[in-house]
Amino acid sequence: MIKLAIIGTGNVAFHVAKAFQNSENIHLEAVAGRSPEKLEVFSTIPHRITDLKHLPQVDIVVIAVSDAAIAEVSRQLSGYTGLIVHTSGSSSMQVLEPHKHHGVFYPLQTFSKYSELNYREIPFCIEAKLEADFQTLEDLTSALGATSYSVNSDQRAALHLAAVFANNFGNHILTEAQQICEERKVSFELLKPLMEETIRKAFSIGPEAAQTGPAKRRDTSTIEKQLNALHDPEQKKLYTSLTEALLKHYER
Amino acid sequence: MIKLAIIGTGNVAFHVAKAFQNSENIHLEAVAGRSPEKLEVFSTIPHRITDLKHLPQVDIVVIAVSDAAIAEVSRQLSGYTGLIVHTSGSSSMQVLEPHKHHGVFYPLQTFSKYSELNYREIPFCIEAKLEADFQTLEDLTSALGATSYSVNSDQRAALHLAAVFANNFGNHILTEAQQICEERKVSFELLKPLMEETIRKAFSIGPEAAQTGPAKRRDTSTIEKQLNALHDPEQKKLYTSLTEALLKHYER
């Protein structure tokens, strides 16, 4: 049985807490947060604390707060001697350096409060200063039924950046696509099979081999027609930037 | 039994031909193309012709050629009196106007030669000049086990444009994500569950509600850190354009 505490009440904390609670081999002892209101959703967890001084003794403390707050939370845990990890993609492991036992437990996924997740399919990127702690993080991931990957801080930063492109930018492009559909009163839903196939193909034959469309085949007449069909200046700008990027990428 | 002929030997023709051949209620009589070599893959189809004069009598002729070539193919079919449709997203139905029976049969999907597709999940956007022909196109879609949607030429152009954003641009962003992963020797595969969840979320709660990331929360310190981590000038440009679009979109 691994005893745990989570610090943080945001989306990652919420989902990680839920996953821990569903595991038979993990006991989530405490959740800590600054706001008593935000702690209310964690009502089934024994200790809900607003002052880190009251943190019970556990095996692992999981810091799931914003990047900017990790160092400060770490300082407040100066008396704690167990393993401390953070869940950030872009913060290095070093930020927890003052602690003898420290590491990273980064779930590579997008978290929204009201979206159910299948934890078995989330890759956990783990890193630890000491080999024995790495083993503990592997056990923690297994207890969730998930798969762990050994990823160092540089690689994790790259993965997080790649995830910003893939998820954040990819999702925003879908926002624009939805707006285009709505203007012509045609259902955005019709694009769902296309997008499922886009992802399937990109991860089977690779995104370069999967690339199609007017910019890939340098079909300037369609590009011009589509640019003229766009009225929103922001959409025109985005269409131009991405078309130029595609033309440049495939000019070789 | 619907008798069909396809004109064209590209990816769309290839996949549509395959789907027709797998249907019990459709008989694909002929495929026409300019190049005898490209016709070779259609060896199981009775007539493979390079001259449209030899087109046998069928119920529907499906023109699956590049947008620029549709009008010319249509002219060559001046003697044909049955239903003629094209499969283009961005060409209007009007291009086939000289024919009494004409329409559009647009499969909203991305087609690569070596990628198997589940036709039941492809939305077919159909349009016809005459009501009876519309019915025929509905029957044709049903014969494939797929679902048809009544979509006019303006709406189809909007859908095609939305598809360029969603698929073409979305896929190119994955190409950049892959490059970022490769530079740090971390597996691009790790992003697959994230992307599956991205699509699932965008089509359940909507892409605006699903948006997360540094630009959405105006986290300028992470944005600056990530911009500094990018070395490729093209990636920097794309990161900047998309971050600016996001900041602008969510400033309201």
Side-chain angles (χ1 to χ4, degrees), chain A residues 90 110 112 115 121 155 158 160 165-168 171 173 184 193 195 198 200-201 207 211-213 225-226, chain B residues 90 110 112 115 121 155 158 160 165-168 171 173 184-185 193 195 198 200-201 207 211 213 225-226:
Chain A
S90 57
T110 167
S112 298
S115 209
E121 288 186 1
Q155 289 175 319
H160 184 250
F165 272 82
N167 165 274
N168 297 176
N171 184 71
I173 277 169
R184 294 288 179 179
M195 290 317 294
T198 301
R200 209 189 55 72
K201 243 165 76 173
Q211 188 67 50
T212 58
K225 205 158 92 177
Q226 295 199 321
Chain B
S90 58
T110 167
S112 298
S115 208
E121 289 186 1
Q155 290 176 320
H160 184 250
F165 272 82
N167 165 274
N168 297 176
N171 185 70
I173 278 168
R184 293 289 179 177
K185 306 219 181 312
M195 290 316 293
T198 301
R200 207 188 58 70
K201 242 165 77 172
Q211 189 67 52
K225 204 159 93 177
Q226 295 200 321

Side-chain angles (χ1 to χ4, degrees), chain A residues 53-65:
Chain A
K53 282 196 207 90
H54 302 133
L55 205 68
Q57 194 55 45
V58 291
D59 301 310
I60 313 175
V61 170
V62 177
I63 303 178
V65 301

Side-chain angles (χ1 to χ4, degrees), chain B residues 8-10 13-15 17-18 21 31 35-45 48 113-114:
Chain B
T9 54
F14 178 82
H15 279 284
K18 213 163 156 182
Q21 286 183 285
V31 174
S35 141
E37 293 79 44
K38 286 194 177 161
L39 284 169
E40 276 170 19
V41 291
F42 300 96
S43 59
T44 56
I45 295 163
R48 296 177 301 283
K113 217 145 226 167
Y114 303 105

